[in-house]
């Protein structure tokens, strides 16, 4: 009977040791990754205003690996061309005079898990080009990373711009 207790105790101890070893080796196999918070085609509907509007682009770092990482956003017309081809649309690239990056680079140092890029767009200039309530222009942005790799499925965002007619009321 004592042999059975000793055998069960040894079996439990070996399972515990093997289990701990598996957890430690598991920790080293999950890489870190960076992702853009919201991706795909996003329509920005804005009431007409003569003031520029700001748009934030969230970036998050995940996984167990945590190293200094820099993410840069760039305008990629090829993404717009690809979307037009796939969707059968004829959107045009938003002219540079209609937007300005106030921060197109995001630095995520060790211990920092999220950040944001910011650009401004000018509803008055967009409206002057295409009028109200239409979507003609798109700003196709692609994230690139130095440090942790980017999640390939969460690195592209295509902003569509729709300027809504002002709501004029009389009392």
């Amino acid at each position: 009977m004592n042999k059975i207790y000793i055998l069960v105790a040894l079996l439990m101890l070996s399972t515990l040791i093997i289990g701990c070893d598996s957890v430690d080796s598991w920790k080293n196999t999950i890489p870190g990754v960076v992702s853009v918070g919201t991706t795909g085609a996003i329509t920005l509907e804005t009431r007409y205003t003569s003031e520029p509007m700001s748009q934030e682009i969230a970036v998050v770092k995940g996984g167990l690996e945590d190293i200094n990482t820099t993410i840069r956003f760039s305008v990629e017309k090829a993404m717009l061309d690809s979307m037009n081809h796939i969707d059968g649309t004829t959107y045009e690239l938003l002219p540079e005079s209609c937007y300005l990056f106030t921060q197109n680079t995001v630095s995520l140092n060790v211990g920092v898990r999220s950040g944001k890029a910011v650009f401004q767009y000018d509803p008055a200039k967009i409206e002057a080009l295409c009028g109200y309530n239409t979507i003609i222009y798109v700003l196709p942005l692609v994230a690139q990373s130095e440090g942790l790799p980017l999640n390939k499925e969460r690195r592209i965002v295509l902003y569509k711009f729709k300027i809504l007619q002002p709501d004029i009321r009389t009392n």
Side-chain angles (χ1 to χ4, degrees):
M1 191 68 163
N2 276 344
K3 290 182 183 182
I4 293 176
Y5 289 127
I6 292 173
L7 187 59
V8 168
L10 287 174
L11 183 61
M12 289 175 61
L13 183 60
S14 65
T15 303
L16 182 62
I17 292 170
I18 291 171
C20 289
D21 185 46
S22 295
V23 170
D24 288 339
S25 55
W26 173 75
K27 285 181 182 177
N28 295 327
T29 62
I30 296 181
V33 68
V34 179
S35 297
V36 176
T38 304
T39 57
I42 299 169
T43 300
L44 297 177
E45 289 188 349
T46 308
R47 289 259 174 234
Y48 177 86
T49 175
S50 59
E51 298 296 319
M53 302 293 293
S54 288
Q55 179 64 37
E56 297 180 350
I57 309 165
V59 178
V60 293
K61 190 177 0 174
L64 295 174
E65 188 178 6
D66 186 10
I67 62 173
N68 291 339
T69 302
T70 302
I71 299 92
R72 284 185 184 79
F73 285 91
S74 60
V75 177
E76 300 272 340
K77 187 173 183 315
M79 291 300 134
L80 176 59
D81 294 341
S82 178
M83 181 180 80
N84 279 334
H85 178 73
I86 291 169
D87 294 345
T89 54
T90 57
Y91 294 119
E92 296 177 28
L93 183 64
L94 183 68
E96 286 183 34
S97 63
C98 295
Y99 70 91
L100 171 69
F101 267 100
T102 55
Q103 182 178 342
N104 73 328
T105 302
V106 181
S107 295
L108 300 177
N109 295 326
V110 172
V112 177
R113 291 287 182 178
S114 64
K116 61 184 175 186
V118 181
F119 71 90
Q120 290 183 334
Y121 62 98
D122 192 328
K125 288 181 180 179
I126 298 170
E127 185 276 328
L129 293 172
C130 64
Y132 295 116
N133 303 319
T134 59
I135 300 174
I136 294 176
Y137 294 102
V138 174
L139 184 62
L141 303 176
V142 177
Q144 297 158 343
S145 176
E146 293 176 19
L148 291 175
L150 270 163
N151 178 339
K152 292 180 188 212
E153 295 176 7
R154 301 199 54 84
R155 67 183 190 94
I156 299 169
V157 60
L158 299 114
Y159 287 103
K160 299 177 182 181
F161 298 88
K162 183 176 184 179
I163 309 306
L164 303 174
Q165 191 164 0
D167 189 14
I168 300 172
R169 298 177 190 208
T170 58
N171 289 333

